[in-house]
Amino acid sequence: MHASVTGNSRPRIVLSGQDLQKSFGGVRAVSGMNLTLREGSITGLIGPNGAGKSTLFHLLSGVIRPDSGRVELFGDDVTTLPTHARAQRGMVRSFQLAREFGPLTVLENLLLAPQRQRGERLLPLFFSPAKVKAKQESLYRRAVDVLALSQLTPLSNEYAANLSGGQKKLLELGRALMTDCPVILLDEPGAGVNPALMGLLTDMIRQLNAKYGKTFLIIEHDMDFIARLCDPVIVMTEGRHLIEASFEEIRRDPEVIKAYLGGAAANV
Ligand SMILES: Nc1ncnc2c1ncn2[C@@H]1O[C@H](COP(=O)(O)OP(=O)(O)OP(=O)(O)O)[C@@H](O)[C@H]1O
Ligand SMILES: [Mg+2]
């Protein structure tokens, strides 16, 4: 059981979206969305296709700016900060379609993942070869650990373009882990992943949460995955927050069932 639903003193809020709005032309993709993510939780974000989940991730991570509303990370207003500045403050995200660099190997993809170290400057590194070497060595050690964790070690010298869809998803998570951010947003990590790799992905997320205290916000259509891993679960529909509760509660909620009726994932 995750810390988010136990005890009287609830864990602190690490990320919040407040009254977020985003339209594309006439389409209101996100329409007054509120969301809070509590430290140490694995929070699920579900909703029918087109509900605005990925757009919300873009707003939370800084890929796009909201028309109005506010994003806070560890209590600071980050609404206008770009993605890399949010990563420096401890939040990283993956994309619904994995964004690997095909012409590079798996290992190179990991080594090139953006780093989190605050205040790091290239110039001092340039003038200090010893520091460059130490930095490279520590990055390499981390990459070796991430490869082992994601069971990609045998593929470390394979071009990323040659990986299966599921392996690319693992690499995407691996790139997020290279940053050492405590808050990780995953957009459909299970899409296109076969059942064996899905089990590995689930174990990885659980281990990263339990052992390293990482907080996750995960969009996923696979309801078994959500049921096994996520608590609480937030349901989004038509750009808005509908309900936040345990999976058992939301699957019986009449509003949730109504929102999904006719949708692709009507088996909630
Ligand atoms: N760049 C864009 N330009 C125009 N419309 C967009 C853009 N991005 C998203 N939309 C629209 O905004 C709405 C929300 O899309 P979004 O991708 O956020 O939904 P989603 O909940 O992630 O859906 P899915 O479960 O299918 O991934 C949809 O109607 C979509 O067509
Ligand atoms: Mg989406």
Side-chain angles (χ1 to χ4, degrees):
M1 193 50 58
H2 308 297
S4 58
V5 288
T6 55
N8 293 326
S9 59
R10 303 186 75 193
R12 68 175 170 155
I13 293 168
V14 290
L15 174 67
S16 77
Q18 299 159 19
D19 200 15
L20 288 169
Q21 316 259 358
K22 182 69 194 177
S23 294
F24 298 106
V27 180
R28 298 190 85 181
V30 172
S31 181
M33 178 70 188
N34 292 299
L35 165 143
T36 55
L37 180 65
R38 293 202 180 257
E39 188 160 47
S41 72
I42 305 178
T43 299
L45 178 62
I46 69 169
N49 293 115
K53 306 179 294 298
S54 292
T55 306
L56 175 66
F57 263 33
H58 297 334
L59 297 174
L60 294 174
S61 61
V63 174
I64 54 175
R65 300 255 175 98
D67 299 333
S68 60
R70 182 179 167 101
V71 179
E72 285 186 8
L73 182 60
F74 296 109
D76 294 331
D77 184 353
V78 296
T79 316
T80 58
L81 292 186
T83 304
H84 65 85
R86 296 184 205 202
Q88 277 174 351
R89 287 166 178 253
M91 175 176 62
V92 71
R93 54 112 15 119
S94 74
F95 286 86
Q96 189 164 345
L97 296 172
R99 292 191 170 184
E100 77 288 345
F101 298 107
L104 299 184
T105 67
V106 168
L107 177 62
E108 287 164 345
N109 264 274
L110 292 180
L111 292 174
L112 279 179
Q115 295 306 300
R116 189 190 163 209
Q117 281 79 356
R118 194 186 281 247
E120 183 177 273
R121 298 281 180 271
L122 284 175
L123 209 55
L125 278 178
F126 185 73
F127 287 115
S128 174
K131 270 191 190 159
V132 176
K133 192 157 180 283
K135 170 86 187 147
Q136 281 173 343
E137 280 170 4
S138 90
L139 261 184
Y140 184 78
R141 275 197 302 277
R142 177 176 279 278
V144 168
D145 287 347
V146 169
L147 284 168
L149 190 68
S150 50
Q151 295 188 11
L152 287 171
T153 308
L155 295 168
S156 57
N157 293 320
E158 185 61 74
Y159 288 114
N162 295 338
L163 300 183
S164 72
Q167 288 163 341
K168 284 180 183 173
K169 285 286 188 178
L170 289 174
L171 179 59
E172 178 94 350
L173 180 56
R175 283 168 53 79
L177 297 180
M178 286 297 291
T179 62
D180 204 19
C181 287
V183 178
I184 302 178
L185 276 48
L186 301 176
D187 193 346
E188 299 198 29
V193 177
N194 70 39
L197 283 186
M198 198 70 173
L200 174 61
L201 197 64
T202 311
D203 290 347
M204 263 179 85
I205 292 169
R206 202 174 272 140
Q207 209 184 101
L208 289 163
N209 174 252
K211 270 200 195 159
Y212 304 107
K214 301 234 184 233
T215 302
F216 286 91
L217 179 63
I218 306 178
I219 298 175
E220 187 49 65
H221 283 294
D222 181 334
M223 291 305 152
D224 287 337
F225 178 92
I226 292 282
R228 263 185 279 130
L229 207 56
C230 298
D231 193 359
V233 178
I234 296 167
V235 184
M236 191 171 178
T237 176
E238 295 177 358
R240 281 195 199 83
H241 181 286
L242 180 65
I243 183 174
E244 174 178 333
S246 70
F247 183 77
E248 274 314 304
E249 283 171 82
I250 61 131
R251 72 195 290 259
R252 287 194 297 263
D253 187 276
E255 290 292 318
V256 175
I257 294 166
K258 201 169 114 194
Y260 268 92
L261 272 185
N267 59 340
V268 174

